[in-house]
Amino acid sequence: MVFKSKSFGNVLVLDGVIQYTELDEMAYQEMITHLPLFAHPNPKSVLIVGGGDGGVLREVVKHGCVEKITMVEIDQLVIDTAKNYFTSMAPAWTDSRLTLVCDDASKFIEKPELKETFDVIICDSSDPVGPAQVLFETPFYKAMFNALKPGGKICTQAESMWMHLPLIERLIRDSSAIFANAEYASTQIPTYPCGQIGLLVCSKEGGESEGTGRKPRAIPDGDDEKFRFYTTEMHKAAFVLPAFVNRALSKAREEGIQKKDACEPAAKRAKSQ
């Protein structure tokens, strides 16, 4: 459903839940996109999972270093709705770098030919219920890891720390057992529950960008005006979390690292046999 609000402009609602509004969508679209892209020194190949509204795509094309963009969106209706009612989010569909694939992303990303293909993967998923549930499970995160080039980054929608902390703990625990590091970032969106949404940023080992997602490269000269929400300062601040969240996620991260450490010797033994 799409309706017009006096304060927020056009609003998209799916299954009774607000997905985005014209007023505050940039707080989500810019942060989920630019956290991983600016944390990578030279992203050239980007995969967008979901994102049929065009908002993430609009932000990715602002990076001149990006040479190839692949978007996997299962719902053509979302694309058509955005083009008709949210034109400010849909200016990049004609970008020559884009390849649009209408498919189930959880199956698409498992293709063997995609191994070590992408520098950055951005997963713009809905809440973890119904068809989107699989995008929050360990097999999907392992598939993203395999599809990343060495040093690659992922950024996924990771729910609200006020309402979904146990889920976020599981995401951090599971991701820490797969990736070199996994971190939770926060951004503020008035029309989302509690006015806050989280983003999971993970890095694959190796390459030039093995470090965490906390340290962005500088915005190129003259590009500041391209952004309405994102700044270098906002990037760094996104990882500053309340004490109770830090404690919970630090514990989950340590548990994930311990699991990875326990699995690695077994994997090495299996290879040697």
Side-chain angles (χ1 to χ4, degrees), residues 7 20 35 54 69 74 146 173 216 228 237 250 257 259 265 267-268:
S7 301
Y20 48 81
L35 286 181
I69 306 166
I74 198 170
N146 292 333
R173 184 182 304 110
R228 291 185 293 160
S250 293
I257 292 172
K259 180 180 178 181
K268 289 179 180 178

Side-chain angles (χ1 to χ4, degrees), residues 205-242:
E205 74 275 14
E208 298 179 45
S209 60
E210 185 175 350
T212 73
R214 294 172 179 260
K215 300 177 181 179
R217 56 187 167 85
I219 297 174
D221 291 342
D223 280 2
D224 301 67
E225 295 301 316
K226 293 181 179 180
F227 312 118
R228 291 185 293 160
F229 191 87
Y230 179 88
T231 65
T232 298
E233 291 75 19
M234 288 294 291
H235 185 125
K236 296 175 182 178
F239 295 93
V240 179
L241 304 173

